[in-house]
Amino acid sequence: MDVQALTEILETYIRPATFPVGIKMLSAGEAFPPRTRTPADLGAHFATCQTINVVRRYGWSLGLSADDHSCPLGLVALGLKPNVDYLQEGNACMGMYTESLEAGARMEDAVPKFALGRYASMFASPLRQHPFTPPDVVVVFGNSAQVMRLVQGALYKRGGYLPSSFGGRLDCADIIVRTMQTDECQVILPCTGDRMFGQTQDDEMAFSIPASKLDEVMEGLQSTHKNGIRYPVPALM
């Protein structure tokens, strides 16, 4: 399906309050498409979560390179800057997210990361106007019922359960890195940074879909809708 068809299905069966976002990771030498804004154009630096939130709320196309990035942890997760011992030893977690340095190191080790230099920048735009077909990842923000419908769509053909991992921090790594590395859909629990800097709200979750699963999830959404599983969820009056 093209991005127009994907968007139509999501807007029909999920009805998200903000734009579904297409994300493409660009290698060195790949330029941003024309009419792409960058944080530098706005006199600012953005974290990955801020970038995604600006796209889904404003409908802008944004390019994010290392020089425009404001989050050291996100830079490491995207492979735009080298990891350092201070982070990997758990110092950024201890005293905030974990009791001990050892627990912090385990938490840091669990964060999915791209290899350093694998990509040079990230491009994100509303899915409807995304210039790359398909994008590497599509992420949709919604309430728990909307995310439930996406899970149901993802499982329509395969059945079973959809495994997801939650850490409460660095949801950018879950949205992009884990989705691309596993090639599986992910239920996303927005992290503290996403809520503080991206202004994701208390009633919002997210769902990310890798390129290879887009058609499957869309077919699942349409089929389960026809079978009577709907959003908004019908209430027994």
Side-chain angles (χ1 to χ4, degrees):
M1 298 183 188
D2 62 26
V3 292
Q4 295 281 345
L6 294 168
T7 304
E8 291 294 335
I9 291 170
L10 289 168
E11 290 181 348
T12 299
Y13 299 108
I14 300 299
R15 304 187 187 187
T18 58
F19 299 111
V21 175
I23 297 170
K24 180 71 174 179
M25 295 302 300
L26 302 177
S27 301
E30 289 187 275
F32 294 132
R35 300 173 64 86
T36 300
R37 290 179 170 92
T38 68
D41 295 331
L42 307 172
H45 290 77
F46 287 175
T48 310
C49 57
Q50 285 175 295
T51 301
I52 294 171
N53 273 276
V54 169
V55 171
R56 75 180 179 100
R57 296 182 189 280
Y58 290 5
W60 294 352
S61 296
L62 284 177
L64 185 66
S65 62
D67 291 342
D68 292 328
H69 207 295
S70 64
C71 176
L73 301 176
L75 279 164
V76 170
L78 293 182
L80 303 182
K81 289 289 185 179
N83 203 351
V84 295
D85 290 342
Y86 181 85
L87 293 179
Q88 205 58 36
E89 289 169 357
N91 289 283
C93 289
M94 186 183 69
M96 180 179 290
Y97 289 101
T98 63
E99 179 183 49
S100 66
L101 196 63
E102 292 76 14
R106 286 192 293 271
M107 179 167 278
E108 207 65 66
D109 189 57
V111 175
K113 304 175 182 70
F114 287 134
L116 178 64
R118 173 67 181 86
Y119 299 105
S121 60
M122 182 192 89
F123 171 82
S125 76
L127 179 60
R128 184 181 292 278
Q129 62 197 52
H130 197 79
F132 298 99
T133 303
D136 292 328
V137 174
V138 170
V139 59
V140 182
F141 281 74
N143 59 41
S144 64
Q146 291 168 313
V147 171
M148 175 196 71
R149 286 295 292 120
L150 287 161
V151 171
Q152 291 165 341
L155 297 177
Y156 177 70
K157 284 186 171 292
R158 69 174 76 182
Y161 268 52
L162 183 69
S164 288
S165 301
F166 307 103
R169 62 190 293 268
L170 280 173
D171 70 347
C172 60
D174 297 327
I175 292 170
I176 301 171
V177 185
R178 192 182 304 279
T179 303
M180 291 177 63
Q181 288 181 342
T182 64
D183 198 35
E184 294 289 350
C185 298
Q186 303 291 322
V187 174
I188 306 298
L189 178 66
C191 67
T192 301
D194 197 332
R195 299 172 194 275
M196 291 177 65
F197 305 117
Q199 299 184 31
T200 293
Q201 298 300 296
D202 289 355
D203 61 344
E204 291 183 303
M205 299 178 67
F207 190 85
S208 59
I209 311 168
S212 68
K213 300 296 190 296
L214 285 167
D215 287 358
E216 183 178 309
V217 174
M218 298 307 112
E219 182 180 345
L221 279 176
Q222 295 174 94
S223 298
T224 51
H225 180 90
K226 290 176 183 177
N227 293 342
I229 304 174
R230 309 286 175 85
Y231 182 81
V233 179
L236 181 60
M237 302 298 289

